[in-house]
């Protein structure tokens, strides 16, 4: 069998955006071949079927998110969480998004879209979110103690969901940041 003559990560980056914007059911393999420039045979030989390609895309997105979180937590849990949250809020305003182009969070969208139609894929998204919460809980426990780490990690996840989903309403950035300060008062906002 001939070796693939393309960068799989680059292809996954393209399919992440495609699935992220159009959803699993809204994306056809014809959309994938058009977006990636690959022939169907190359896609199927390298990634398998649409579901396997979607899983690989979701896993790559989750790993990139985990890596970003790890880099942010190097500044300490409180500072890292603030960095991540403010980046999420600012990202909505960095591009001239239209309502159609705004894509929230790939993992959250996957869980919302597929819970009733594709439980296996929704479960995968749920496990990605559980791992993210566990990362937050571990970082929070190291800085704030174990006693409230579960509650604090839950509050951070709820803030993330809120930012990502409420972003479709095109909220005022300053209002969202003030809301975060009020709902997560245990974070060191004074410096920001």
């Amino acid at each position: 069998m001939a070796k693939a003559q393309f960068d799989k990560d680059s292809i996954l980056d393209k399919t992440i955006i495609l699935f992220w914007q159009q959803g699993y059911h809204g994306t056809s393999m014809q959309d994938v071949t058009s977006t990636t420039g690959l022939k169907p045979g190359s896609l199927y030989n390298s990634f398998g079927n649409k579901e396997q390609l979607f899983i690989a895309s979701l896993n790559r997105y989750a790993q990139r998110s985990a890596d970003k979180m790890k880099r942010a937590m190097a500044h300490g849990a409180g500072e890292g969480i603030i960095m991540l949250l403010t980046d999420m809020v600012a990202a909505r305003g960095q591009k001239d998004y239209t309502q159609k182009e705004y894509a929230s969070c790939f993992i959250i969208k996957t869980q919302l879209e597929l819970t009733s139609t594709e439980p296996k894929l929704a479960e995968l998204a749920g496990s990605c979110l559980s791992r993210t919460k566990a990362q937050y809980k571990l970082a929070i426990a190291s800085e704030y103690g174990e006693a409230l780490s579960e509650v604090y990690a839950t509050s951070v996840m709820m803030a993330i969901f809120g930012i990502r989903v409420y972003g479709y309403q095109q909220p005022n950035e300053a209002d969202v940041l003030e809301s975060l300060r009020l709902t997560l008062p245990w974070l060191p906002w004074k410096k920001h």
Side-chain angles (χ1 to χ4, degrees):
M1 178 178 272
K3 185 176 176 173
Q5 299 294 313
F6 54 86
D7 179 18
K8 284 186 177 186
D9 288 340
S10 175
I11 297 300
L12 288 175
D13 290 342
K14 290 176 182 179
T15 58
I16 285 169
I17 293 168
L18 184 62
F19 284 124
W20 193 352
Q21 291 181 334
Q22 295 183 191
Y24 179 75
H25 291 298
T27 301
S28 67
M29 285 305 280
Q30 185 175 354
D31 294 330
V32 173
T33 58
S34 176
T35 297
T36 63
L38 294 177
K39 295 187 185 312
S42 295
L43 282 167
Y44 287 110
N45 285 335
S46 296
F47 298 103
N49 61 23
K50 176 181 165 179
E51 181 179 291
Q52 292 167 322
L53 177 61
F54 185 84
I55 290 168
S57 299
L58 193 65
N59 285 332
R60 177 157 170 81
Y61 177 88
Q63 185 59 56
R64 286 189 342 211
S65 296
D67 292 345
K68 183 176 181 179
M69 181 192 296
K70 185 177 180 180
R71 287 189 303 274
M73 293 303 143
H75 298 276
E79 286 294 324
I81 291 168
I82 289 173
M83 288 171 56
L84 291 168
L85 293 174
T86 55
D87 283 355
M88 285 177 207
V89 172
R92 179 64 176 93
Q94 285 177 353
K95 293 183 180 178
D96 186 24
Y97 286 112
T98 65
Q99 279 304 92
K100 183 179 178 188
E101 291 170 326
Y102 180 62
S104 181
C105 169
F106 185 30
I107 298 170
I108 293 170
K109 283 184 74 172
T110 295
Q111 195 167 44
L112 292 172
E113 176 193 6
L114 301 178
T115 295
S116 62
T117 60
E118 302 287 339
K120 175 183 167 187
L121 297 178
E123 186 176 314
L124 174 62
S127 70
C128 291
L129 293 171
S130 294
R131 284 193 306 271
T132 299
K133 181 182 175 185
Q135 284 182 277
Y136 278 118
K137 183 179 175 187
L138 185 63
I140 290 166
S142 71
E143 190 167 312
Y144 295 92
E146 184 68 34
L148 291 174
S149 62
E150 176 71 26
V151 172
Y152 284 179
T154 298
S155 67
V156 170
M157 293 300 289
M158 290 177 68
I160 292 167
F161 278 49
I163 292 167
R164 297 299 199 180
V165 176
Y166 192 58
Y168 285 103
Q169 300 301 313
Q170 300 178 322
N172 177 286
E173 186 175 323
D175 291 344
V176 175
L177 291 172
E178 185 59 25
S179 175
L180 289 170
R181 286 183 189 96
L182 293 171
T183 57
L184 301 169
W186 51 274
L187 290 172
W189 293 103
K190 304 177 248 354
K191 300 175 185 178
H192 298 271

